[in-house]
Structure formats: C-alpha cells, structure tokens
C-alpha cells in the first residue's frame, strides 16, 4: 500500500524586525524561522528575548520580563487558536518586533534519495568544489 504524503504542511512563520525613525518606514529583518508547532514558535521568541534582556533599558526590560514570565502563555494560546501574534519592544529609538503566524508550507522533497530527482545525486555541497 503506497501512502501519499500531504502536499501542504501546517506550521508557523516567525520573524524578528527592527526599525528606527531615521529609517522612515523601513524595517530590517534580523531573523526568521519556520517551525512545526506553536510552542516552538513561542520558544524561538523567548530565547531571543532572554538573550536580549541584559542590553535593554529599564522600561523595555520590565516589559520583556512580564512577557517572558506570564504573557507568553496568552501568546501561545492565540497561536494555537490560529491567530497571528506580535510582540513589540521599544529600546530607545529602536523598535524591536517579533511576529509569529500560522502558515502552510509546500512539501518539496525528502533528503533520503527515494524522492529526489537524479540531479540531486550530483550535488557535492559547498565544501567540495568541482574541478
């Protein structure tokens, strides 16, 4: 019996952006990740935020620790219910924004060779250059 794999996979898209008034409306993407579950999305934000907290001013620090200690539960619940979330901190003139939202990802191929095209066997990777 041959089971077909689903074409679309459910997951979450997470991003972290910064912006400053001197940049106008422009934002800078600092990082992003695609994860399978809502807890993984919240964990990614929590790890980034915990890493950043020692450098925050007192007001941003208090907001960060409030979210880390209690408010992240509400964020997780919102994601589980299919709602996108946003966490915004203001550090001086810089705005830091984390977002996570439900997403569907297109399944491409496996890395096990059974579903890979023939040309996949020829790829040697960045470490080995062809001569």
């Amino acid at each position: 019996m041959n089971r077909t794999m689903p074409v679309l996979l459910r997951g979450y898209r997470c991003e972290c952006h910064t912006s400053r008034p001197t940049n106008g409306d422009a934002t800078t993407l600092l990082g992003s990740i695609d994860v399978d579950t809502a807890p993984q999305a919240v964990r990614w934000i929590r790890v980034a935020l915990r890493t950043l907290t020692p450098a925050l001013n007192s007001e941003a620090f208090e907001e960060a620790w409030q979210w880390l200690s209690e408010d992240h539960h509400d964020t997780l619940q919102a994601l589980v219910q299919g709602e996108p979330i946003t966490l915004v901190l203001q550090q001086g003139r810089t705005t830091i924004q984390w977002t996570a939202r439900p997403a569907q990802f297109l399944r491409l191929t496996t890395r096990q060779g059974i579903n890979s095209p023939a040309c996949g066997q020829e790829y040697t990777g960045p470490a080995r250059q062809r001569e």
Side-chain angles (χ1 to χ4, degrees):
M1 175 180 224
N2 190 2
R3 294 177 110 174
T4 56
M5 302 285 276
V7 175
L8 294 176
L9 303 173
R10 294 188 185 279
Y12 297 85
R13 173 72 179 170
C14 309
E15 297 179 347
C16 180
H17 294 264
T18 61
S19 61
R20 299 189 81 188
T22 55
N23 294 348
D25 290 336
T27 62
T28 302
L29 177 64
L30 293 182
S32 64
I33 189 171
D34 299 325
V35 296
D36 296 329
T37 67
Q40 289 171 330
V42 171
R43 186 177 311 119
W44 183 76
I45 297 170
R46 291 187 78 205
V47 168
L49 192 52
R50 269 191 247 128
T51 302
L52 184 63
T53 54
L56 296 174
N57 61 35
S58 59
E59 184 178 330
F61 180 86
E62 291 298 323
E63 288 179 41
W65 276 106
Q66 174 66 33
W67 188 87
L68 285 167
S69 61
E70 296 178 25
D71 296 347
H72 74 277
H73 297 293
D74 295 335
T75 299
L76 177 59
Q77 189 62 29
L79 281 173
V80 167
Q81 293 175 356
E83 301 171 26
I85 61 92
T86 301
L87 172 63
V88 178
L89 289 180
Q90 191 69 38
Q91 168 66 19
R93 296 180 2 188
T94 302
T95 301
I96 308 164
Q97 176 177 294
W98 288 269
T99 60
R101 60 182 167 77
Q104 291 186 338
F105 303 102
L106 181 61
R107 178 184 303 278
L108 296 177
T109 185
T110 68
R111 294 183 179 260
Q112 298 167 338
I114 57 174
N115 294 328
S116 297
C119 63
Q121 305 300 327
E122 297 176 19
Y123 179 71
T124 59
R128 294 184 354 213
Q129 295 180 355
R130 295 179 191 226
E131 297 187 27

